[in-house]
């Protein structure tokens, strides 16, 4: 007997009805930090024509996401996440490929992602996709009145 085929994964733009599942996914993937309000990040992404939020859905389960944006100079990827039950099936790669297509369509010459120091696991993933370490150090300054 043939093994049952892998359920089909669909990729589409974020819909408001995804909100709760998406924030839960980010929480489960340890992408949330107290100083970043995910609802605010989603709102800003949707309001900005230079950014987009895409999700992966398998049998009506939201199982992946990627947020992409172009700052007029470089392309950035945020909130790349795949539900742990759906990993190692190529969903993360497909989400990154979609981000690359989106960047290329806007003539963005380089795509970049920020990796937290303690997120060692994801380095292997980016390496498989031919992403290389940049010779940079991130510096930052909070402009909001209440600094965390
Ligand atoms: C990183 C993440 C999105 C990968 O999703 P995924 O769907 O499992 O990835 P894929 O199945 O598409 O893997 C693509 C390739 O990377 C490899 N890979 C995936 N995870 C890897 C890991 N942790 N270490 C090394 N290689 C890895 C796969 O083997 C595959 O290689 P191949 O296509 O050459 O066989 C997922 O592990 C995740 O959500 N992690 C937690 C959230 C996170 O850290 N996000 C990134 C923030 S910067």
């Amino acid at each position: 007997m043939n093994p049952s085929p892998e359920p089909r994964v669909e990729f589409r733009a974020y819909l408001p009805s995804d909100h709760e599942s998406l924030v839960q996914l980010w929480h489960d993937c340890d992408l949330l930090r107290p100083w970043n309000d995910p609802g605010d990040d989603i709102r800003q992404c949707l309001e900005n024509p230079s950014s987009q939020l895409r999700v992966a859905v398998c049998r009506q389960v939201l199982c992946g996401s990627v947020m992409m944006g172009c700052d007029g100079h470089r392309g950035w990827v945020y909130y790349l996440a795949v539900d742990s039950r759906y990993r190692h099936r190529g969903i993360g790669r497909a989400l990154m490929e979609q981000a690359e297509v989106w960047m290329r369509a806007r003539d963005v010459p380089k795509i970049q992602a920020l990796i937290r120091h303690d997120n060692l696991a994801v380095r292997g993933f980016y390496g498989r996709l031919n992403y290389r370490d940049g010779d940079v150090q991130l510096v930052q300054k909070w402009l909001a009145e209440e600094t965390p």
Side-chain angles (χ1 to χ4, degrees):
M1 209 166 97
N2 288 336
S4 49
E6 288 270 324
R8 213 161 82 88
V9 178
E10 289 173 19
F11 299 90
R12 60 163 170 77
Y14 165 90
L15 298 172
S17 53
D18 296 324
H19 188 94
E20 203 177 317
S21 313
L22 185 59
V23 174
Q24 186 64 49
L25 172 72
W26 292 349
H27 175 268
D28 295 345
C29 290
D30 195 27
L31 293 180
L32 298 184
R33 294 295 179 273
W35 52 88
N36 288 338
D37 176 350
D40 213 35
D41 286 347
I42 293 171
R43 182 187 56 73
Q44 285 200 41
C45 177
L46 298 180
E47 284 176 359
N48 192 330
S50 298
S51 56
Q52 202 187 60
L53 178 54
R54 293 188 68 76
V55 296
V57 180
C58 183
R59 287 190 174 142
Q60 297 177 353
V61 175
L62 193 153
C63 60
S65 72
V66 64
M67 186 184 281
M68 61 203 82
C70 168
D71 62 13
H73 180 57
R74 297 289 184 244
W76 290 91
V77 170
Y78 303 94
Y79 289 114
L80 174 71
V82 173
D83 182 322
S84 57
R85 295 166 296 175
Y86 293 81
R87 287 185 191 164
H88 297 286
R89 298 188 197 178
I91 298 174
R93 181 187 283 277
L95 287 163
M96 287 301 294
E97 282 170 1
Q98 292 181 30
E100 289 177 21
V101 167
W102 188 88
M103 304 288 173
R104 283 204 180 90
R106 288 160 179 77
D107 288 330
V108 178
K110 188 155 78 166
I111 180 168
Q112 312 189 123
L114 296 171
I115 302 178
R116 291 186 195 285
H117 285 300
D118 55 359
N119 192 354
L120 295 176
V122 81
R123 291 178 173 272
F125 166 81
Y126 281 116
R128 294 295 298 166
L129 271 61
N130 294 322
Y131 284 70
R132 302 291 170 241
D133 286 351
D135 185 19
V136 292
Q137 180 168 358
L138 176 73
V139 291
Q140 48 187 211
K141 176 180 178 180
W142 287 91
L143 299 176
E145 286 199 4
E146 284 186 28
T147 303

